[in-house]
Amino acid sequence: MEEQHGAPEQAAAGKSHGGLGGSYKVIVYELENFQGKRCELSAECPSLTDSLLEKVGSIQVESGPWLGFESRAFRGEQFVLEKGDYPRWDAWSNSRNSDSLLSLRPLNIVGWL
């Protein structure tokens, strides 16, 4: 497996804390079944395909939750991604209209304690 290293990934690799004090980490793979180039994120990424990956084929959420979007800049259909493995697009989407995920951000949960 090849791991992408570059300025965009490094910028997104800082610690981010959720509304309940948790940290966020997701690994995004270019191909299905966790193959190909990969990118680890712990902060929002408005465009996964500008310089990080050509496409998103699978996702592993190590801590979260995360909110994925079918379009860049956090637009379009939204997908809530909880901790777990998503080996291909139909594991995170029931949509027949779109098989893409182009931006991600941590889902900050703020609630009454």
Side-chain angles (χ1 to χ4, degrees):
M1 248 184 264
E2 180 179 340
E3 187 167 340
Q4 179 83 8
H5 292 286
E9 181 181 358
Q10 291 171 354
K15 286 272 185 185
S16 177
H17 296 282
L20 297 178
S23 63
Y24 296 96
K25 183 176 179 185
V26 65
I27 304 171
V28 183
Y29 296 84
E30 200 166 61
L31 303 174
E32 293 181 356
N33 297 310
F34 318 109
Q35 301 294 311
K37 290 181 186 176
R38 66 184 229 162
C39 176
E40 291 185 21
L41 300 170
S42 59
E44 69 180 29
C45 183
S47 182
L48 291 163
T49 57
D50 274 352
S51 60
L52 299 176
L53 305 170
E54 287 187 32
K55 64 177 186 169
V56 175
S58 51
I59 303 168
Q60 288 180 313
V61 177
E62 294 195 3
S63 56
W66 288 77
L67 197 55
F69 297 83
E70 71 172 330
S71 300
R72 290 179 177 94
F74 315 113
R75 297 181 187 271
E77 190 170 352
Q78 301 175 17
F79 312 102
V80 175
L81 304 169
E82 297 176 328
K83 185 175 180 177
D85 294 342
Y86 301 84
R88 44 179 276 127
W89 73 269
D90 58 1
W92 68 73
S93 171
N94 289 328
S95 176
R96 300 286 178 216
N97 299 327
S98 176
D99 64 352
S100 65
L101 189 141
L102 298 177
S103 53
L104 276 170
R105 71 169 27 140
L107 180 57
N108 294 313
I109 300 173
V110 180
W112 297 90
L113 297 179

